[in-house]
Amino acid sequence: MTAILELREVHRTHGKGEAAVHALRGVTIDVQAGELVAVMGPSGSGKSTLLNLAGGLDSPDSGEVLVEGRPLSSLSRKELAGLRRHSVGYVFQALNLVPSLTAAENVALPLELDGVSARKARPLAEAALAEVELSGYADRFPDEMSGGQQQRVAIARALVGQRRLVLADEPTGALDSQTGEAVLRLLRARVDAGAAAVLVTHEARHAGWADRVIFLRDGVIVDTSGPLARPEQLLEATA
Ligand code: ADP
Ligand code: MG
């Protein structure tokens, strides 16, 4: 079986000289299809750096990142851009919705960048919006939606088409706990349908949706656990 995401002994230093920060110091992980891995750790421990490397937004100083078995270092810039648009979905804490585009246009953006015509992209965008329970919101602009709805648009954009690797950096940061839980449910559903996902989170409750939790400290994996108990399992256990 090929891992959807593989990091092998990855090192990454930001900045130079006195200001250099060794953000990742030899990180090795793999994430299979059907697997949701949560990454936890203190602020500055390298979580976002790890996610950026996984998505080909940044490259390691040494070590190798492979997506669907392809070493990213072997890809041309054009191939890498194609892989980012086609195979990888991102959800960032800052939503990065384009304010002048409607919800459907925002969701369709990665498809259109990938060369899908607007006419073909529209139904795919509507399907992704339906998946996040925003049917009927396709023609709203971001400022006509609540924060939670905007976040779900961002999730739909990350899931649109059939992205095999979903990377989420504290995607529930700005959300109330109920909406946050809904976002996790969506991520879990997409993973159960065959994607692989990496979720950076501060909340143990959200990490409870993961198959595995990786703890980072100062750029090193210090611990890995199996699944944490999910809230509903805790409830069942105490019922
Ligand atoms: P986390 O997401 O866990 O908070 P980051 O991966 O953002 O951690 O950052 C890890 C370390 O690298 C921190 O010390 C941070 O200040 C530093 N860092 C991250 N990005 C940059 C950058 N572009 N330039 C300089 N230092 C950076
Ligand atoms: Mg971060």
Side-chain angles (χ1 to χ4, degrees):
M1 189 159 68
T2 308
I4 303 274
L5 172 67
E6 220 178 321
L7 272 67
R8 291 186 190 153
E9 273 300 309
V10 164
H11 286 258
R12 180 70 175 116
T13 297
H14 297 296
K16 287 200 169 75
E18 294 266 293
V21 179
H22 200 165
L24 290 181
R25 306 165 182 253
V27 168
T28 297
I29 53 174
D30 60 77
V31 188
Q32 309 288 332
E35 204 177 22
L36 171 57
V37 172
V39 178
M40 303 189 81
S43 179
S45 58
K47 304 182 298 296
S48 294
T49 301
L50 187 157
L51 227 58
N52 289 339
L53 290 169
L57 296 171
D58 185 16
S59 41
D61 299 312
S62 67
E64 190 65 84
V65 179
L66 300 93
V67 174
E68 296 183 303
R70 300 161 82 194
L72 299 190
S73 62
S74 73
L75 303 181
S76 68
R77 284 180 65 165
K78 202 174 163 192
E79 288 170 328
L80 185 60
L83 176 131
R84 279 200 301 256
R85 287 193 306 261
H86 198 73
S87 302
V88 185
Y90 302 89
V91 191
F92 298 105
Q93 188 164 13
L95 305 175
N96 298 315
L97 295 182
V98 182
S100 59
L101 298 181
T102 64
E105 288 165 346
N106 266 287
V107 173
L109 202 54
L111 298 175
E112 291 187 37
L113 289 171
D114 214 15
V116 178
S117 71
R119 197 164 51 84
K120 286 196 176 141
R122 174 80 191 196
L124 294 172
E126 283 179 0
L129 284 169
E131 214 181 316
V132 298
E133 287 165 29
L134 284 178
S135 304
Y137 288 79
D139 297 319
R140 296 240 194 142
F141 289 92
D143 67 2
E144 298 169 337
M145 307 177 87
S146 71
Q149 289 168 342
Q150 289 181 42
Q151 181 63 309
R152 282 187 280 153
V153 174
I155 305 266
R157 185 180 53 188
L159 299 182
V160 73
Q162 285 303 318
R163 291 179 155 64
R164 305 235 32 222
L165 177 61
V166 181
L167 304 171
D169 200 347
E170 301 187 35
T172 59
L175 303 179
D176 63 72
S177 62
Q178 211 177 341
T179 317
E181 212 57 31
V183 163
L184 268 297
R185 216 175 283 275
L186 281 167
L187 204 56
R188 184 72 244 179
R190 178 52 68 95
V191 167
D192 290 341
V198 182
L199 163 74
V200 170
T201 183
H202 282 304
E203 299 197 47
R205 202 157 42 85
H206 291 160
W209 289 89
D211 299 296
R212 207 145 44 90
V213 186
I214 287 170
F215 296 90
L216 267 186
R217 179 182 291 273
D218 298 330
V220 181
I221 294 177
V222 289
D223 195 13
T224 305
S225 84
L228 303 177
R230 289 193 199 175
E232 65 264 28
Q233 289 170 341
L234 285 175
L235 284 175
E236 279 164 23
T238 53

